[in-house]
Amino acid sequence: MPSDRIRDHAGQGAATTVAAHRARRRLRADRARQLADPLRRLLLTGAFPDGVLPHESTLATEYGASRNTVREALDLLRAEGLVERQPGVGTVVVAHKYPHGLDRLMGLAETLREHGQVTNEVRTMGPAPAPAPVADRLGLAPGTEVLYIERLRRLGGLPLSLDLTYIPLDIGTGLLGADLENTDVFRLLEAVTGQRLGHAEITLEAVSADTHSAAVLEAPRGAAVLMLERLTHLADGRPVDLEFIRFRGDRITMSGLLHRTR
């Protein structure tokens, strides 16, 4: 019947309108992410010395985006805890991340020496049987005792990372009386062994903070943390330090210089 065809046509028109609206929203969300990424980079590299971002209209003009897209991009950065809106001031930077290079083998205090003092709270330290995967990575027989160290590391008093370290006991015993609160393990390993460290194998991934890690790092339970697994070798190739380091993702960035090889 004609009335049925009219209703069908009207229904199809409504569905088309809804689909078009959703497509526009997806497109704007895509553009917001595309704008948020370079803005995040500027925030983290100190491009706004006074801590205040340009006005939304300025950003819209500079990046060829609509005001709505700019607002959504700033909302994304606000959700990450990087900026906030202050009445009468505008959008201001409220968080700072510290750079951690991945192209040099350095301890945390060495890496961040320009940003403040790194201190260590030694939570646990002593001999312990190595779990089978740990023993395998260190080239030891399963169950062999190793020196286990758990440290909470702070920068400027703020929790930055939770480090779980395993060291062969023949080397680790030389660290038992050392000043681990103010000295990187890397420096101590070189002093005890009389060798330079050679290289390290690393794996970096994002994981959810377990209840214990979140509490120690003073981070929300389930928050994303950067997990760095690092196996460090002496210059002669012997593996001497296996670490599982959980960094607060809102306080650290990882960077490196990569070369393309054929």
Side-chain angles (χ1 to χ4, degrees):
M1 296 177 63
S3 59
D4 291 335
R5 287 198 296 273
I6 293 172
R7 283 196 295 272
D8 289 344
H9 180 72
Q12 292 170 1
T16 301
T17 300
V18 171
H21 178 65
R22 289 175 177 171
R24 286 194 297 271
R25 288 185 60 186
R26 285 196 300 270
L27 180 60
R28 193 168 70 209
D30 290 340
R31 289 174 174 168
R33 284 191 295 273
Q34 293 164 10
L35 175 56
D37 288 340
L39 283 178
R40 184 186 299 105
R41 173 66 178 172
L42 292 175
L43 294 175
L44 298 179
T45 54
F48 308 111
D50 60 355
V52 181
L53 273 68
H55 191 272
E56 290 176 1
S57 60
T58 303
L59 291 173
T61 300
E62 183 176 348
Y63 288 92
S66 68
R67 289 283 293 275
N68 284 337
T69 297
V70 171
R71 291 192 186 102
E72 289 193 20
L74 295 177
D75 284 341
L76 292 175
L77 298 174
R78 187 178 300 112
E80 295 178 26
L82 296 176
V83 301
E84 69 178 23
R85 183 78 177 175
Q86 292 186 359
V89 178
T91 301
V92 299
V93 181
V94 294
H96 179 70
K97 293 189 177 185
Y98 300 98
H100 188 294
L102 294 177
D103 47 8
R104 295 185 64 189
L105 184 53
M106 300 174 66
L108 191 64
E110 294 174 309
T111 301
L112 301 179
R113 62 181 180 273
E114 297 178 359
H115 302 281
Q117 182 181 8
V118 174
T119 57
N120 309 312
E121 175 189 332
V122 181
R123 299 174 53 83
T124 304
M125 181 177 181
V134 171
D136 181 65
R137 298 295 304 282
L138 290 173
L140 304 172
T144 300
E145 285 202 331
V146 294
L147 178 66
Y148 172 71
I149 309 171
E150 179 177 313
R151 294 168 296 161
L152 172 61
R153 315 198 70 183
R154 302 175 185 269
L155 178 62
L158 296 175
L160 185 63
S161 71
L162 178 63
D163 298 14
L164 279 58
T165 304
Y166 300 87
I167 300 171
L169 198 56
D170 64 310
I171 295 175
T173 52
L175 276 62
L176 290 174
D179 181 13
L180 283 170
E181 292 187 356
N182 299 292
T183 311
D184 274 338
V185 167
F186 279 2
R187 289 189 177 276
L188 296 173
L189 287 173
E190 291 181 329
V192 168
T193 63
Q195 288 193 54
R196 297 282 293 174
L197 296 176
H199 69 278
E201 305 156 23
I202 63 172
T203 301
L204 182 65
E205 61 182 319
V207 300
S208 297
D210 58 273
T211 303
H212 169 70
S213 298
V216 173
L217 290 170
E218 300 177 16
R221 181 179 177 181
V225 296
L226 289 176
M227 164 71 86
L228 176 66
E229 178 182 333
R230 181 170 60 196
L231 177 62
T232 303
H233 301 250
L234 292 173
D236 65 8
R238 181 187 176 184
V240 292
D241 181 356
L242 177 60
E243 297 173 283
F244 299 90
I245 307 173
R246 291 169 173 82
F247 288 100
R248 279 192 56 151
D250 59 344
R251 291 182 180 162
I252 200 82
T253 61
M254 300 290 179
S255 62
L257 177 64
L258 305 179
H259 296 276
R260 183 173 177 84
T261 59
R262 295 184 181 276

